[in-house]
Amino acid sequence: MSKRSVQVDDFTSLQVLSDPQFAMNGQDFFYVSTTIKDKKNYESHIYRYNQQKQSQWTYGHHQDSHPRVSPDGTRLVFQSNRSGTNQIWLMSLLGGEAEQLTTLTHGATNPEWSKDGKTIFFSALLDNDDDVQSQRELTKEEKEKKQNEKKKQPLIVNRLKYKSDARGFHDDKSMQILAYDLQTKQITPLTCGGHHHYFQDVSPDGNTVLFTANLNENEDEELYLDLYTLHIPTRKITKINQQKGSFYQAAFSPTGKYIACFGHDFKYMGATLTDLYIFDLNNQTETCLSYQWDIQLGDAMIGDTRLGASQTGPVWNKDETALYFIATDHGATGLYKSDLNGHLEPIYHNHSHVFGFSYDSKSDAFIFGMSTPTDPGNFYYIKENGKMKQLTDANKDYLNRVTLSEPEEIQFTTSDGWPIQGWLLRPYGFKEGKKYPLVLEVHGGPHAMYGQTYFHELQLLAAKGYVVLYTNPRGSHGYGQKFVDACRGDYGGKDYRDLMEAVDYALKSYSFIDETRMGVTGGSYGGFMTNWIVSHTNRFKAAVTQRSISNWLSFYGVSDIGFFFTKWEHGYNLLENPEKLWDFSPLKYAKNVETPLLILHGEQDLRCPIEQAEQLFITLKHLKKEVEFVRFPGANHELSRSGEPQLRIERLNHICRWFEKHL
């Protein structure tokens, strides 16, 4: 059977795997599979891998996630919105229906077991005076009535951090840590107050909870996250870290002697590489294991189909001599190990995207999730120094039906001596001797990374007959601290030149590219750069700017991150140097735009608010430039990755339409 080309809505048929969790026998594991239910909704279910077979454990048109197996291996706790709001549910692994444990008005999330299996810790948004014992979940009708009443009331704002792209406008509720006693079936709040408390781990003896929070009086003006322990019997809270910074993904060692976590000190603001820290609780010492590594810890890969959270580390080995984690390096992510002296070595690192893992201390084995440019993702089994074994075969039918383009890596040196990595996809049905149009894709961030992962939009453009070029210009992760910091204070400078020289390199190296038919697109920072490109060169014949930034003067005050991000990336706040911010703004150069420009933006985007698109559109339209503006109702900054499926389809259709018209 001949394979067809990729189609716009193919992403709706994908099964996206995440969050592998070993069962107690060290062989079976649970995981989450997310699919698209219909034009408006996603659904996710929990599966079990047992003796080389996969079986579905939860059903229905809802979202089940965060499965965690009890220490004795007999029960599974998870979160689900099957009742209408995310709550905590429990099921026996011997069979039977799931039991709902919580009925909190605003839901409950992220359950974790105590080491003795008697308590389940979880998180919930609470008001200061909430009585968790008497709370009940609202009915659908009650929710709708409350939402309608809220829409009629004015919003009183007295904080800098009063909105976020993920939550929308904030209220007075804060994230708290609670404990559910399985014997008494009572819920006990462990934290309270107006500050968010983020659960990290519980000590081996069950007496201490580890969490992160900013408990400072000026928390509203800071982005620090400190590390704390809470002694449950006495409620005593102790701060662990000594230096200022942001600490997260923290975990007790098996004996409780140490804490390991990721974090950084904001030395390079948002471009600071993540470090790996060890805290010795007995000696009250703090050690940075990664100070010589020059590698980004965690997963900085950009894609448009990855759904669901997964563990990226750090995770302790069984005898407290090493830590396991994912790290980002040169267009790929891998699974790594470090001893307590900072000796770094890979367990698995190849041309791929390792997006999550689970470690079993009994067998010293790993289950890890991995994606490649031609595979949306599967789970694999590996032991240290052992052979890798594929366990799942998700999306087999889809991959047997379509032709995917395998990326060709490019590497070149810029005119000022910087090495740049990128990739090129040849179009579907490629024939030697024929000329093809090119589309340059620019990633967001800017401190993120293109690389060896499945990316539906890139494959779609190749399927539509375009050569697709995507690179990691300076400012991207994966190439060390100096590289990721290099675009700060220089937006539209050498980062722009890197992209233009990448196009020059591709034209010189691949004779099948038609330099008279080139397009460019990108989102967020990539949208800013698209705006910058079309206002500084006419070499592109079409452009699509997505969720973009056009005016840094207004971005400062309207974005949920503008009040600090502007200073981080440009060195100035609005009142400190408005002239410099205007110089960085593509809107200043709108009169130079000759490239037909399509503007795509979500109505509810609070990260790069839609007024950025409105200013650009009105200005270009007033200047009688060729421009079109598409607004996506209800969509936030995550439209391309996790937005409403029908709107994601519409977005891709508009991109293809614009390039087809002009290229």
Side-chain angles (χ1 to χ4, degrees):
M1 182 178 69
S2 60
K3 292 187 175 184
R4 62 169 174 83
S5 60
V6 173
Q7 298 173 0
V8 166
D9 61 353
D10 277 347
F11 74 89
T12 64
S13 64
L14 295 179
Q15 183 184 14
V16 182
L17 309 184
S18 63
D19 203 10
Q21 294 290 322
F22 264 113
M24 291 302 107
N25 60 13
Q27 297 176 344
D28 300 355
F29 68 97
F30 291 86
Y31 63 92
V32 177
S33 171
T34 302
T35 55
I36 290 177
K37 169 187 171 184
D38 52 38
K39 293 182 178 180
K40 289 183 174 292
N41 299 292
Y42 298 83
E43 62 182 46
S44 56
H45 295 295
I46 297 169
Y47 282 71
R48 182 173 187 169
Y49 181 94
N50 174 257
Q51 297 180 348
Q52 302 183 8
K53 294 181 180 180
Q54 299 154 65
S55 56
Q56 186 172 342
W57 275 65
T58 64
Y59 295 85
H61 297 307
H62 43 254
Q63 296 179 346
D64 304 321
S65 61
H66 204 84
R68 296 295 184 267
V69 183
S70 62
D72 63 4
T74 64
R75 291 171 292 181
L76 185 77
V77 69
F78 61 98
Q79 73 181 47
S80 175
N81 66 354
R82 60 184 64 192
S83 64
T85 303
N86 270 323
Q87 302 288 356
I88 308 302
W89 294 72
L90 183 70
M91 64 164 42
S92 169
L93 296 185
L94 301 177
E97 293 295 320
E99 173 191 0
Q100 184 173 351
L101 300 186
T102 64
T103 57
L104 297 180
T105 304
H106 305 292
T109 59
N110 301 329
E112 300 287 347
W113 290 94
S114 64
K115 300 301 187 284
D116 61 8
K118 296 179 180 180
T119 305
I120 295 171
F121 298 94
F122 64 94
S123 299
L125 282 170
L126 298 174
D127 286 314
N128 286 339
D129 56 353
D130 276 348
D131 178 5
V132 296
Q133 304 300 338
S134 63
Q135 274 198 26
R136 66 174 180 84
E137 191 172 351
L138 301 181
T139 65
K140 182 179 180 181
E141 292 73 21
E142 288 173 328
K143 285 181 189 174
E144 291 177 353
K145 181 181 178 181
K146 189 172 182 179
Q147 289 170 356
N148 290 332
E149 290 175 349
K150 189 175 182 179
K151 290 178 182 177
K152 298 175 183 178
Q153 298 297 319
L155 177 68
I156 300 173
V157 177
N158 50 33
R159 290 172 53 86
L160 269 173
K161 302 174 187 173
Y162 75 93
K163 62 181 180 180
S164 61
D165 192 64
R167 285 178 58 195
F169 292 118
H170 298 179
D171 50 29
D172 292 332
K173 288 183 281 294
S174 54
M175 189 66 70
Q176 304 299 339
I177 302 168
L178 302 91
Y180 181 92
D181 187 307
L182 286 160
Q183 184 175 3
T184 65
K185 299 188 176 182
Q186 293 294 305
I187 297 174
T188 303
L190 300 180
T191 60
C192 61
H195 298 278
H196 293 292
H197 298 72
Y198 303 104
F199 177 87
Q200 302 293 301
D201 198 9
V202 59
S203 62
D205 63 9
N207 288 327
T208 305
V209 164
L210 181 63
F211 69 92
T212 59
N214 186 328
L215 303 182
N216 302 325
E217 289 186 6
N218 55 342
E219 171 271 335
D220 188 39
E221 302 175 10
E222 296 179 339
L223 295 173
Y224 299 122
L225 271 181
D226 294 311
L227 194 60
Y228 293 92
T229 56
L230 167 67
H231 186 245
I232 297 174
T234 63
R235 295 294 197 273
K236 180 183 178 182
I237 291 177
T238 304
K239 184 179 174 183
I240 302 301
N241 58 290
Q242 299 167 6
Q243 67 169 315
K244 282 189 173 183
S246 180
F247 301 91
Y248 49 95
Q249 292 176 225
F252 281 107
S253 65
T255 65
K257 178 182 177 182
Y258 302 105
I259 293 171
C261 72
F262 288 155
H264 65 75
D265 59 4
F266 294 104
K267 182 178 181 180
Y268 302 93
M269 304 303 180
T272 310
L273 291 185
T274 298
D275 278 314
L276 176 60
Y277 292 90
I278 298 291
F279 298 91
D280 186 324
L281 297 180
N282 293 337
N283 298 323
Q284 296 185 332
T285 57
E286 177 181 313
T287 304
C288 178
L289 297 184
S290 56
Y291 71 98
Q292 289 185 321
W293 292 353
D294 204 27
I295 189 173
Q296 173 64 3
L297 306 185
D299 180 3
M301 187 80 75
I302 280 185
D304 64 351
T305 55
R306 182 114 301 277
L307 300 163
S310 293
Q311 169 67 258
T312 62
V315 173
W316 288 92
N317 72 344
K318 60 185 176 184
D319 56 8
E320 293 185 341
T321 60
L323 289 154
Y324 306 114
F325 48 88
I326 288 172
T328 297
D329 186 35
H330 285 79
T333 63
L335 181 60
Y336 289 80
K337 172 185 178 180
S338 171
D339 64 19
L340 301 194
N341 294 315
H343 175 68
L344 180 69
E345 60 180 290
I347 293 174
Y348 179 83
H349 182 272
N350 204 344
H351 299 294
S352 58
H353 173 204
V354 176
F355 56 80
F357 73 98
S358 181
Y359 166 70
D360 178 63
S361 60
K362 298 182 182 68
S363 59
D364 266 335
F366 303 87
I367 302 292
F368 68 91
M370 183 176 72
S371 172
T372 70
T374 55
D375 182 356
N378 277 295
F379 290 123
Y380 298 79
Y381 178 90
I382 195 171
K383 285 191 172 185
E384 284 193 51
N385 304 316
K387 291 184 178 180
M388 182 180 71
K389 177 183 178 183
Q390 183 172 340
L391 302 179
T392 62
D393 199 6
N395 305 301
K396 177 182 178 181
D397 292 340
Y398 169 70
L399 296 176
N400 285 336
R401 293 197 309 269
V402 301
T403 297
L404 297 175
S405 181
E406 192 72 48
E408 301 175 33
E409 183 178 342
I410 65 170
Q411 297 212 30
F412 68 95
T413 302
T414 63
S415 54
D416 60 344
W418 285 59
I420 301 294
Q421 183 184 31
W423 296 266
L424 181 140
L425 299 180
R426 298 194 183 206
Y428 173 76
F430 175 81
K431 294 180 181 179
E432 292 287 352
K434 184 179 177 180
K435 290 277 191 177
Y436 294 91
L438 176 140
V439 173
L440 171 67
E441 286 264 4
V442 187
H443 69 63
H447 311 303
M449 183 187 75
Y450 276 140
Q452 301 284 2
T453 193
Y454 184 81
F455 208 126
H456 177 68
E457 180 181 325
L458 306 185
Q459 291 290 344
L460 175 64
L461 289 172
K464 293 293 184 181
Y466 303 102
V467 177
V468 183
L469 176 64
Y470 52 109
T471 68
N472 287 323
R474 66 192 80 187
S476 304
H477 268 309
Y479 309 93
Q481 183 62 78
K482 182 179 179 181
F483 193 93
V484 73
D485 187 51
C487 74
R488 288 200 311 129
D490 189 38
Y491 275 37
K494 292 176 182 177
D495 52 354
Y496 164 68
R497 191 170 68 187
D498 289 348
L499 292 164
M500 295 305 97
E501 292 187 5
V503 173
D504 294 338
Y505 177 86
L507 290 172
K508 180 180 178 181
S509 304
Y510 299 95
S511 60
F512 51 80
I513 299 175
D514 185 349
E515 65 178 320
T516 68
R517 293 187 294 153
M518 297 196 301
V520 59
T521 186
S524 196
Y525 164 84
F528 156 82
M529 185 55 70
T530 299
N531 297 339
W532 188 269
I533 286 171
V534 298
S535 60
H536 285 76
T537 179
N538 293 327
R539 71 189 303 188
F540 296 92
K541 303 308 176 187
V544 181
T545 184
Q546 308 172 52
R547 58 191 186 279
S548 73
I549 300 164
S550 65
N551 184 355
W552 291 103
L553 293 168
S554 61
F555 179 87
Y556 164 81
V558 297
S559 168
D560 64 342
I561 63 172
F563 67 94
F564 65 85
F565 189 84
T566 307
K567 175 91 170 182
W568 279 9
E569 294 300 303
H570 300 305
Y572 306 99
N573 280 330
L574 175 65
L575 298 180
E576 292 174 337
N577 198 335
E579 294 82 7
K580 191 68 173 178
L581 294 185
W582 184 235
D583 289 341
F584 281 125
S585 300
L587 194 64
K588 176 180 178 179
Y589 313 98
K591 65 180 183 300
N592 301 329
V593 175
E594 299 298 335
T595 305
L597 181 66
L598 175 64
I599 303 172
L600 307 180
H601 219 108
E603 295 274 9
Q604 303 302 318
D605 191 333
L606 297 180
R607 182 60 39 85
C608 297
I610 198 167
E611 62 88 31
Q612 294 285 308
E614 291 170 330
Q615 291 187 68
L616 183 61
F617 173 73
I618 292 298
T619 303
L620 292 176
K621 199 68 178 175
H622 189 233
L623 292 170
K624 301 189 185 315
K625 307 292 186 178
E626 186 172 358
V627 61
E628 187 175 312
F629 185 16
V630 181
R631 306 169 67 117
F632 294 87
N636 66 8
H637 201 63
E638 295 301 306
L639 168 63
S640 66
R641 297 178 278 260
S642 59
E644 187 177 294
Q646 182 59 41
L647 293 182
R648 291 176 66 185
I649 292 172
E650 289 293 330
R651 169 186 162 272
L652 291 170
N653 276 328
H654 282 295
I655 294 172
C656 293
R657 171 182 64 84
W658 194 256
F659 284 141
E660 182 179 355
K661 177 182 178 181
H662 294 283
L663 300 183

